Structure formats: C-alpha cells, structure tokens
Amino acid sequence: MKKENLNDYIPAYDEQFKFKFENELYLRKFASIIKNDLLENQIKNYLSLGIGHNIVSDTIINEGLKNNLIENYYVIDGSSTMIEKFRLKYDHCNLHIIETYFEDYEPSLKFDRIEMGFILEHVDDPIFILKKYKEYLLPNGKIHIAVPNARSLHRLIGHYAGLLKNVYEISEYDKMLGHKRYYDIDKIKEDIIKAGLKITDVRGLMLKPITWDQMVSLKFNENIFNALLVIGEKYPEIANCIYLCAEH
C-alpha cells in the first residue's frame, strides 16, 4: 500500500488554523491526564505516536523528562517537516526522535507508557496499530488513547436539526486533518478489546454543545470553557473527544 505524504497535512497545525484554540482546549485536558500519571509514577521509557500540536509532548518533556520522572522519551512521526520543527524546538540527551510511519516502527525495547492521542482516526487499520503497540508495552504499562467523538452533543444536535446527514460523516475540516473515520464510545471500546487490551479508564475531554463558530459568536469566556472541560469529563458518551486508558 502506498504511504501518504504526511507533510500534506501541515497546514492544519499552523498558528492561523481556524480551530487552533478549540484543539488546544481538549489537548490541554488530555495533557493534564498525562501529567497526573507522570507525577504519580516513575517511568523509564515513554513513547508517543505523533508530534501533533506539541501540547502533549510539551507536557511529557517539561513535566516528565526535565524533572527526571521519565528516563527516556521516544517520539515517532512520519512527517519530515514536523520532525524538523520538533528538533529545533527541543534538545535533550534522553529525547529520541524517530522519523517513520507507525506501521513500520520496530523498537528494540518495551515501554512503560505509550501515548496515542488522536492517532487512531488517522491510520488505515487502527486495530493493527493497537495490536502492534500492545506487543511493545511492558506488563504493567498503560496506553493513553484519545479520539474525536462522532456522537458529540453538538454533532447530535446538528443531526437532529437537519444540518448533518450522518454524525459519522467526514467533513472538509476532518479531511484537512487527515481523518479517516469517526469513533463513538462503543466503537473505540470494541477496537481496543479486539486488540487484546483491557480498558481501565474512560473520560470525556470536553463538552461541546454547539459549533465552534457559534461558540465564538456568543463570546464564550474562559469560565465557560473551563466548565465545559469539567462537565465533559463526566459524560464521555457525548463529549467532543473521548479519552481511554488501556492495559494488558
């Protein structure tokens, strides 16, 4: 199968991207879960699939690696442009940056933690990825997973209002990000279990009641956004994004 040129999706990570602030909101929530795990555990080897918006990697490097809570941090990405920017931003002797596709990576070690936030909606075969990286997870290790939710409250409202034919349909925005599918909570659980993993934690990352343009036009302030993050955690079935922790 011909591999995609992942550099084609770079514009979605630019500072001027329309949904940059929205992305940052739920990524910061995901990063806070990662941070709490770092503070509670001593981790030898940590692996991230993808560089993305740098929010999660910032947390792992600044909170974990630089504070000696992590011994080694490995990051893999298939975009040469993303790798180059990442190398310019970070320089640490125990940071290992590898340019490769997730399907091709063959590490010589196993990991205490594997982070795959907003990865499974991008890949051709998500169950293959889950099975593959399960083999690189230590017996007491954890995989941190996050995916967008097709049945987010705002998508459900849009569907029943006649604005969205199908909550699972891929929008132009999704295509810009390289999304191949939408998950709901049942489907992501099903894929994780099919891969031979058990789910130990499920949370929502943000409640999104209306579209981002509508939220901007209503001038939602910081207090409202914070409230949506807190409420969303309790209702993963209708949150904008879903977080899951998987273990052997």
Side-chain angles (χ1 to χ4, degrees):
M1 181 181 294
K2 184 180 178 181
K3 297 288 179 64
E4 290 182 282
N5 182 353
L6 300 183
N7 291 329
D8 292 342
Y9 300 113
I10 295 298
Y13 298 92
D14 286 345
E15 289 294 315
Q16 304 305 315
F17 188 58
K18 179 179 178 180
F19 299 99
K20 178 179 182 293
F21 181 59
E22 179 187 356
N23 290 342
E24 287 180 352
L25 283 170
Y26 57 74
L27 283 168
R28 286 202 297 264
K29 183 67 175 181
F30 180 48
S32 72
I33 297 171
I34 299 290
K35 178 181 177 180
N36 288 338
D37 181 41
L38 291 173
L39 295 174
E40 294 170 1
N41 298 279
Q42 191 71 34
I43 297 167
K44 184 174 182 180
N45 295 314
Y46 206 120
L47 172 66
S48 278
L49 274 61
I51 292 171
H53 297 272
N54 280 192
I55 292 171
V56 175
S57 54
D58 277 349
T59 299
I60 296 172
I61 291 170
N62 293 323
E63 301 291 342
L65 195 60
K66 292 183 177 178
N67 289 325
N68 298 315
L69 300 178
I70 298 172
E71 189 172 320
N72 292 287
Y73 181 36
Y74 296 79
V75 183
I76 60 174
D77 201 288
S79 166
S80 57
T81 302
M82 295 290 278
I83 289 280
E84 183 180 354
K85 289 181 178 179
F86 198 67
R87 288 189 192 279
L88 290 172
K89 186 174 182 180
Y90 297 110
D91 181 21
H92 192 286
C93 60
N94 289 344
L95 172 62
H96 313 277
I97 306 168
I98 303 108
E99 184 181 338
T100 188
Y101 288 88
F102 305 143
E103 294 83 355
D104 298 337
Y105 184 48
E106 300 289 344
S108 59
L109 72 162
K110 293 194 175 185
F111 300 93
D112 304 274
R113 296 291 186 274
I114 299 175
E115 177 266 313
M116 51 176 75
F118 302 98
I119 294 302
L120 297 177
E121 69 272 18
H122 291 265
V123 299
D124 291 325
D125 189 341
I127 296 177
F128 170 82
I129 293 295
L130 287 164
K131 284 182 176 178
K132 177 183 177 72
Y133 285 92
K134 179 187 73 172
E135 299 304 314
Y136 304 137
L137 187 68
L138 287 167
N140 294 318
K142 297 179 180 180
I143 302 179
H144 294 295
I145 299 164
V147 293
N149 184 12
R151 300 185 67 80
S152 167
L153 180 58
H154 82 289
R155 291 180 70 85
L156 288 169
I157 291 172
H159 173 61
Y160 285 104
L163 304 174
L164 191 63
K165 290 181 181 179
N166 186 329
V167 292
Y168 300 94
E169 78 178 7
I170 302 296
S171 68
E172 288 305 311
Y173 162 61
D174 293 313
K175 292 175 184 177
M176 287 178 66
L177 288 169
H179 291 177
K180 292 180 168 62
R181 67 188 58 77
Y182 257 108
Y183 277 100
D184 58 32
I185 195 164
D186 292 333
K187 179 58 178 170
I188 185 59
K189 285 182 175 180
E190 178 185 315
D191 280 5
I192 292 170
I193 292 167
K194 279 184 178 179
L197 291 157
K198 65 179 180 180
I199 299 164
T200 58
D201 192 10
V202 182
R203 311 183 202 182
L205 293 183
M206 183 176 79
L207 188 69
K208 184 179 178 182
I210 52 180
T211 69
W212 182 248
D213 286 340
Q214 291 167 334
M215 291 163 78
V216 170
S217 69
L218 291 172
K219 299 180 180 178
F220 278 22
N221 62 30
E222 185 177 354
N223 289 338
I224 294 177
F225 286 126
N226 287 337
L228 293 174
L229 290 168
V230 171
I231 296 167
E233 185 170 357
K234 303 176 188 297
Y235 300 98
E237 295 85 356
I238 57 169
N240 190 37
C241 306
I242 307 165
Y243 162 79
L244 306 97
C245 182
E247 302 178 17
H248 275 299

